[in-house]
Amino acid sequence: MERVWISAELSRRYEDSVELHKSIIDQDPYNYQAWYNLGHGYNCTWEYEKAIEALEYSYIINPDFESAYLDCADTCLQIRDYQKALDIYIEANNRFGPNDELMVSIAHCYIFLKKIGIAKQWLLKAIKLDAYNDEALFLLGECYSIEKVWYNAINAYHKAIQIENRREEYYLGLAKAFCAVEDYKKAIYNFQMATETGPEDTLYWKEYICFLVKMALYDDAIQVLEEAEDHTYGADLIYCKAVISYLLKDKEECMVLLEEALLENYEQHTIIFDLAPELKIDKEIISMIKYFADSE
């Protein structure tokens, strides 16, 4: 059964795999590996509800099949069913744990469910089991950031980076925490580290540029934008560029860039209002946004 799924993956014949495993299950309904393979087949054809059901059958039939629990919970996360994912992770931790990785997953679900106090308890348990779990320390920093306990957040982010210094999200968390305590020199350093570590992801460039714009460092923001364009491309960066043009009194250039960004990704247009709230009362800009909204 494992080789059958490997063959399906290598050939990318996922729909055929679904049909094959359904026929196997008709002959042998308690074949937990067939249910597991069927779940992955559904995952690859974007039928996530069916994938969850199949993976669930797999570990119900074989309660010691840890991979089925984890993959089922991961699929729940894909459709943002955080409560179901949480229940599965807790069940797996009770059966196979205590396990610091599962505890981190449990905490992550609690963060999604906005239960920060409980998330912190699970993270502290995970760190007690493994003091070098960088993801647990990072998420602890995220919890403190949500609670606006900034120096605790900074401490947790620092510890995570000391263990694993190639995770761009760790640097971004630290940069934002330093912004909150108005230590802008350290914020800039960590924004730079985030973009250097994950240069292909527009998120980190956008966050850095937004910080510079809010600090009215427009020339620096333009320089960072130009650097970003050497590594990546995205509507969020075009929106940032449009706002900078507007703030530098180049309305014509702003409108050209805004149109390009709206064509690329309308949903991200709220970035401009976060950067320059005064754009909400600019009739020309609002008219263009409304035009694209009506076209969606």
Side-chain angles (χ1 to χ4, degrees):
M1 293 307 300
E2 289 176 2
R3 290 182 181 183
V4 168
W5 175 246
I6 291 169
S7 300
E9 276 198 304
L10 291 173
S11 61
R12 298 184 179 276
R13 292 173 62 182
Y14 303 122
E15 291 179 0
D16 290 343
S17 172
V18 166
E19 294 308 314
L20 172 63
H21 287 96
K22 282 165 70 176
S23 67
I24 292 171
I25 288 164
D26 285 341
Q27 299 293 320
D28 182 7
Y30 291 99
N31 187 325
Y32 72 91
Q33 187 74 48
W35 280 108
Y36 181 72
N37 290 2
L38 179 61
H40 280 286
Y42 280 134
N43 251 329
C44 293
T45 55
W46 305 289
E47 296 185 82
Y48 297 120
E49 297 286 355
K50 290 181 179 179
I52 290 166
E53 186 178 20
L55 292 166
E56 204 166 12
Y57 276 127
S58 179
Y59 68 73
I60 287 171
I61 295 165
N62 181 0
D64 293 323
F65 189 24
E66 186 175 2
S67 293
Y69 289 89
L70 302 182
D71 293 347
C72 188
D74 287 347
T75 306
C76 291
L77 291 179
Q78 286 188 59
I79 63 168
R80 301 183 182 182
D81 189 345
Y82 302 123
Q83 186 60 57
K84 188 171 180 66
L86 173 63
D87 294 340
I88 296 167
Y89 283 132
I90 289 175
E91 187 178 347
N93 190 60
N94 289 340
R95 179 169 287 275
F96 306 108
N99 180 301
D100 60 295
E101 297 296 335
L102 283 170
M103 289 176 176
V104 168
S105 296
I106 289 166
H108 216 155
C109 290
Y110 276 120
I111 291 170
F112 283 126
L113 293 167
K114 302 188 187 306
K115 297 181 179 179
I116 305 305
I118 303 174
K120 280 164 54 183
Q121 290 173 22
W122 280 97
L123 291 168
L124 291 168
K125 286 180 188 178
I127 293 164
K128 190 173 181 180
L129 276 180
D130 180 6
Y132 295 96
N133 188 319
D134 56 285
E135 192 170 355
L137 288 160
F138 166 69
L139 288 178
L140 186 61
E142 295 286 272
C143 288
Y144 284 128
S145 289
I146 292 166
E147 295 177 330
K148 301 188 187 306
V149 185
W150 298 114
Y151 286 105
N152 285 8
I154 288 167
N155 184 47
Y157 290 134
H158 266 306
K159 287 181 178 178
I161 290 168
Q162 284 170 0
I163 297 164
E164 175 51 75
N165 65 0
R166 298 302 302 166
R167 293 284 292 272
E168 51 269 28
E169 65 269 37
Y170 295 5
Y171 290 109
L172 179 61
L174 187 54
K176 288 183 170 181
F178 277 125
C179 283
V181 298
E182 299 182 1
D183 191 337
Y184 300 125
K185 187 176 180 180
K186 289 180 181 176
I188 287 172
Y189 171 79
N190 284 285
F191 277 125
Q192 288 173 342
M193 289 300 299
T195 57
E196 287 176 17
T197 310
E200 69 288 340
D201 194 327
T202 59
L203 169 67
Y204 303 101
W205 295 102
K206 183 206 77 175
E207 292 286 348
Y208 187 13
I209 293 159
C210 287
F211 163 75
L212 293 170
V213 170
K214 288 175 181 176
M215 296 292 290
L217 299 170
Y218 304 137
D219 290 340
D220 291 341
I222 291 168
Q223 189 176 338
V224 172
L225 260 170
E226 289 172 354
E227 188 181 348
E229 287 168 358
D230 292 335
H231 299 281
T232 189
Y233 172 85
D236 48 356
L237 299 182
I238 305 171
Y239 282 119
C240 289
K241 201 170 184 178
V243 171
I244 294 168
S245 296
Y246 180 89
L247 294 170
L248 292 174
K249 312 299 182 187
D250 190 346
K251 182 72 173 290
E252 185 178 345
E253 175 71 4
C254 170
M255 297 305 291
V256 170
L257 290 166
L258 182 59
E259 183 178 7
E260 182 185 346
L262 288 164
L263 280 166
E264 184 71 26
N265 188 322
Y266 170 82
E267 297 298 327
Q268 291 184 326
H269 77 271
T270 53
I271 292 169
I272 67 171
F273 301 130
D274 293 335
L275 279 176
E278 61 267 34
L279 292 178
K280 291 179 180 178
I281 58 172
D282 187 297
K283 292 180 181 178
E284 202 175 351
I285 285 173
I286 296 301
S287 176
M288 180 179 283
I289 291 170
K290 188 176 185 306
Y291 171 78
F292 280 90
D294 294 340
S295 304
E296 283 290 298

